[in-house]
Amino acid sequence: MQIYSYFAYISFFINYIMKIKTDFLVIGSGLAGLMYALKVAKHGKVVLITKTTMQETNTSYAQGGIASVAYSGDSYEKHVQDTLVAGAGLCNEKVVRNVIKEGPKMIKELIKLGTNFDKKPDGNYDLAREGGHSEPRIYHHKDNTGFEIQRAISEQVMNNENITVLENHFAIDLITQHQLGYITDRTQTNIECYGAYVFNKVEKKVYTILSKITYIGTGGLGNIYNSTTNPEIATGDGIAMVFRAKGFIENMEFVQFHPTALYNPSERPSFLITEAMRGFGGVLKDEKGYAFMKDYDERKDLAPRDIVARAIDNEMKVKGLTHVYLDCTMLNAEEIKQHFPNIYKKGLTINIDITKEMIPVVPAAHYLCGGIRVNKNGRTSIKSLYAAGETANTGLHGANRLASNSLLEAVVYADKAAKHSIKKIKKRSLKKGIQDWTDEGVSPLEEMVLITQEFRELQAIMSNYVGIVRSNLRLERALKRLEVIYMETKVLFNKSKVSVEICELRNAVNAAYLIIKMAKRRKESRGLNYNIDYPDKLIVL
Ligand code: FAD
Ligand code: SIN
């Protein structure tokens, strides 16, 4: 009895210290996560977790800027039409109109929170133009807008006493009725989220974070491809967690490749050469100096991204090139240095003076247009679970995102999700009886090389068969190869103690599976899903 009590005490104590309780759990420290956290913090305690450091987010890498109608020559209608055209008929028009109308208010808010956007000497904002935009409407901070936004909003979050930030905390899985053992069926519609299991990378312990409301802002998945502009954190974790929790995911086939990443094969992530450089007058050329975009689209270098990326892909295949070039040498050198100081400096590190030499560029995986389905309030199909930012599918982007619409979407939907969460929080309570994560009987992962190898194979499959140009045969082959990796990863996951590496691989496999499945299901070429078996059905608006 005494022994039993002792163990009961220890077990109670361990149980207590492995559980963290909060009103709001926010997963992700990018723009979507930070803005939501700031807004709900006025209505309860917030725990914000991020899998590496606060600053290591896609948001920090954003260069071009954030789109919003700003000057008298522009109009909401023009921005709406540009977005709809880029989206190739799959945007939700109501969502498009709503997000674009919210733009000016959100820009004001970002400025109020301390973000600096560049101004012209006359005091007006210096608006840039990017591909697919009929007017200049991109607010920017030199060529590192995302870094500036991340700096400003992070400062606000760090100074907010209602928000606890936990860096190096990796969300493994959402907690739903599955953990209580009474849901097995994907058709269930009453799934509810009670928080998440979270791995503390420093202590190497899994905590149960119980929350009344959970919010996912985990960003994209560029790292499931060989070459990407995304930092290492982008492995599709949020989407995979929701998929495993049996929530709805959609439009995954629409993976956007940015046309112009710097061609520097040893570098990962690939350094982006912002589209704003083409907006500024930069021209794509082949190795002989031929400006090829006129052969593909009347909008030439400023056609929507899917068209430009496909054109480059085609030039490289037909002419046997490893890359093409962006030529800015005819532009004013001083202006280039002033507007794009980071790209200029980056060029010098690899011995290219971009004001005198052409920049070698190649397309790279950049942005996921689909993701976790959310409604007009940012709520997922799972109760008490919200999502925003790149991980979410709101209906704004359709089959192809218009440049610089993603930061806008992240702030608008963080705001919507916050407003709805605030209304609901009083009715929510913490779930009792949730078991802590257990990995009894499993051993630490011995063969890290297996994970590294599986990840490389996954990236090769996605790049070779599920890239810019697809076919039914390639997709079929990709699925077969992926199934092998899926089975091997499952076995490895079940017999190993938790590590970030195995969790990320598991998530990447889930995300890749969803892309392939949805690409196979789409029997047409539309926007970013270009399949050579359906050339006659190519849909461009
Ligand atoms: P992110 O900013 O990516 O943040 C994701 C967060 O989730 C990170 O903190 C990460 O650590 C965390 N996370 C992920 N998984 C887990 C987990 N399992 N556990 C805990 N935490 C986790 N868009 C524009 O509109 N304009 C631009 O000019 C622009 N330029 C870009 C340039 C580059 C190089 C890149 C890569 C993207 C660019 N984009 C741009 C896209 C835009 O930056 C992103 O879509 C947007 O920043 C996404 O914000 P987010 O908050 O959704 O995700
Ligand atoms: C860029 O600056 O070219 C990126 C813009 C974006 O991805 O929206």
Side-chain angles (χ1 to χ4, degrees):
M1 186 63 196
Q2 229 177 356
I3 293 174
Y4 171 80
S5 306
Y6 176 73
F7 277 114
Y9 171 74
I10 294 286
S11 132
F12 169 79
F13 186 65
I14 288 175
N15 199 31
Y16 173 74
I17 58 170
M18 300 307 275
K19 279 193 170 64
I20 296 172
K21 294 176 183 170
T22 183
D23 295 314
F24 302 95
L25 168 61
V26 178
I27 308 175
S29 62
L31 182 58
L34 297 176
M35 286 302 278
Y36 177 87
L38 270 183
K39 291 178 179 209
V40 294
K42 293 177 194 129
H43 302 268
K45 291 281 175 204
V46 181
V47 170
L48 183 149
I49 64 164
T50 179
K51 73 180 185 185
T52 60
T53 59
M54 183 87 164
Q55 313 300 327
E56 190 57 355
T57 61
N58 270 4
T59 300
S60 290
Y61 286 70
Q63 289 187 0
I66 174 164
S68 177
V69 172
Y71 86 113
S72 54
D74 198 1
S75 68
Y76 291 136
E77 193 53 34
K78 285 186 189 171
H79 192 179
V80 166
Q81 289 310 323
D82 292 346
T83 303
L84 294 176
V85 168
L90 281 196
C91 301
N92 177 331
E93 190 169 334
K94 226 169 153 186
V95 168
V96 173
R97 291 189 178 280
N98 181 272
V99 170
I100 284 167
K101 260 199 151 156
E102 293 280 296
K105 195 171 93 197
M106 292 298 144
I107 296 284
K108 263 194 206 144
E109 221 173 280
L110 288 174
I111 293 169
K112 200 165 161 212
L113 289 168
T115 310
N116 296 302
F117 293 116
D118 289 353
K119 286 187 174 170
K120 293 189 288 195
D122 66 6
N124 290 318
Y125 282 101
D126 178 27
L127 304 169
R129 191 170 162 198
E130 289 178 348
H133 287 275
S134 54
E135 294 292 336
R137 59 170 78 101
I138 319 294
Y139 285 84
H140 63 98
H141 177 91
K142 306 217 177 297
D143 53 358
N144 63 354
T145 311
F147 189 85
E148 169 61 11
I149 294 178
Q150 180 86 32
R151 177 203 63 73
I153 317 299
S154 297
E155 257 173 48
Q156 299 286 339
V157 165
M158 295 308 276
N159 290 330
N160 190 309
E161 54 185 29
N162 253 0
I163 306 176
T164 306
V165 175
L166 302 175
E167 291 188 321
N168 290 309
H169 280 66
F170 184 100
I172 306 169
D173 265 321
L174 297 170
I175 302 171
T176 63
Q177 290 96 326
H178 302 278
Q179 274 69 32
L180 299 175
Y182 55 81
I183 278 199
T184 51
D185 179 2
R186 180 163 288 279
T187 59
Q188 286 279 3
T189 50
N190 61 347
I191 305 171
E192 187 167 355
C193 181
Y194 309 126
Y197 291 119
V198 173
F199 180 59
N200 176 326
K201 288 160 64 179
V202 179
E203 294 175 12
K204 301 213 177 307
K205 279 186 191 154
V206 178
Y207 285 84
T208 305
I209 304 193
L210 294 177
S211 52
K212 294 179 186 166
I213 286 180
T214 304
Y215 172 89
I216 301 185
T218 48
L221 49 62
N223 282 286
I224 70 172
Y225 284 89
N226 271 341
S227 94
T228 178
T229 60
N230 295 185
E232 277 183 4
I233 51 106
T235 47
D237 297 356
I239 292 161
M241 284 192 286
V242 170
F243 176 61
R244 288 193 296 270
K246 307 197 187 306
F248 288 113
I249 311 290
E250 57 194 7
N251 280 11
M252 292 290 287
E253 65 273 41
F254 300 117
V255 178
Q256 185 170 71
F257 285 74
H258 196 290
T260 56
L262 180 67
Y263 176 71
N264 187 21
S266 59
E267 189 173 4
R268 192 179 180 92
S270 301
F271 183 83
L272 187 77
I273 305 296
T274 177
E275 198 157 300
M277 287 201 101
R278 275 176 282 138
F280 206 71
V283 175
L284 285 162
K285 296 187 172 167
D286 68 10
E287 85 292 5
K288 291 187 180 138
Y290 177 67
F292 55 81
M293 272 313 298
K294 58 178 169 288
D295 300 339
Y296 294 89
D297 193 285
E298 61 187 16
R299 291 162 288 186
K300 297 188 219 165
D301 298 86
L302 287 179
R305 249 176 223 179
D306 55 332
I307 295 170
V308 182
R310 249 186 341 262
I312 296 177
D313 187 65
N314 192 51
E315 287 290 308
M316 285 167 39
K317 282 183 181 143
V318 170
K319 298 179 179 165
L321 309 172
T322 52
H323 57 276
V324 296
Y325 293 92
L326 181 68
D327 188 3
C328 297
T329 57
M330 62 297 207
L331 306 175
N332 181 303
E334 284 318 303
E335 282 182 9
I336 288 280
K337 287 183 205 169
Q338 193 201 334
H339 282 269
F340 307 104
N342 294 298
I343 296 178
Y344 177 70
K345 273 190 225 138
K346 176 72 187 180
L348 294 182
T349 67
I350 54 166
N351 300 320
I352 296 175
D353 178 342
I354 65 167
T355 63
K356 299 196 176 97
E357 294 156 88
M358 297 201 293
I359 311 168
V361 291
V362 68
H366 182 63
Y367 183 84
L368 175 69
C369 293
I372 303 163
R373 182 202 287 177
V374 295
N375 67 10
K376 63 182 186 348
N377 299 313
R379 215 202 91 177
T380 71
S381 57
I382 296 177
K383 195 172 166 197
S384 303
L385 183 69
Y386 293 77
E390 191 167 339
T391 196
N393 186 44
T394 62
L396 176 69
H397 309 308
N400 181 31
R401 173 184 65 112
L402 184 66
S404 290
N405 264 357
S406 43
L407 291 172
L408 175 65
E409 184 197 42
V411 268
V412 171
Y413 269 81
D415 182 61
K416 289 179 185 299
K419 284 187 178 131
H420 200 253
S421 305
I422 291 163
K423 272 195 217 149
K424 295 284 166 187
I425 189 75
K426 285 205 180 84
K427 294 188 196 136
R428 298 277 182 269
S429 54
L430 295 174
K431 188 75 179 170
K432 298 207 171 75
I434 302 288
Q435 294 296 305
D436 288 326
W437 184 269
T438 169
D439 51 10
E440 268 168 38
V442 296
S443 24
L445 187 71
E446 279 164 10
E447 296 219 63
M448 190 59 81
V449 65
L450 291 182
I451 294 190
T452 319
Q453 195 48 36
E454 299 267 34
F455 217 115
R456 285 205 189 114
E457 279 175 35
L458 172 87
Q459 289 167 335
I461 292 169
M462 294 307 287
S463 302
N464 295 336
Y465 304 128
V466 203
I468 296 175
V469 175
R470 302 164 182 177
S471 75
N472 290 343
L473 184 63
R474 290 178 212 178
L475 294 174
E476 197 52 53
R477 193 161 285 185
L479 192 60
K480 279 205 183 111
R481 304 277 196 279
L482 190 76
E483 268 160 12
V484 177
I485 300 183
Y486 169 75
M487 286 315 295
E488 288 171 356
T489 305
K490 194 171 169 187
V491 171
L492 210 57
F493 185 86
N494 288 339
K495 70 173 199 188
S496 314
K497 281 200 187 297
V498 170
S499 68
V500 168
E501 291 81 1
I502 185 75
C503 289
E504 283 185 340
L505 175 61
R506 178 178 175 238
N507 292 337
V509 171
N510 284 172
Y513 169 80
L514 289 164
I515 295 172
I516 300 169
K517 273 293 217 199
M518 293 188 195
K520 270 168 72 63
R521 209 162 58 195
R522 185 165 288 285
K523 306 277 183 228
E524 63 182 0
S525 284
R526 186 193 280 267
L528 297 161
N529 184 65
Y530 184 79
N531 184 325
I532 53 174
D533 289 314
Y534 307 111
D536 53 325
K537 292 193 189 156
L538 179 63
I539 295 164
V540 227
L541 288 187

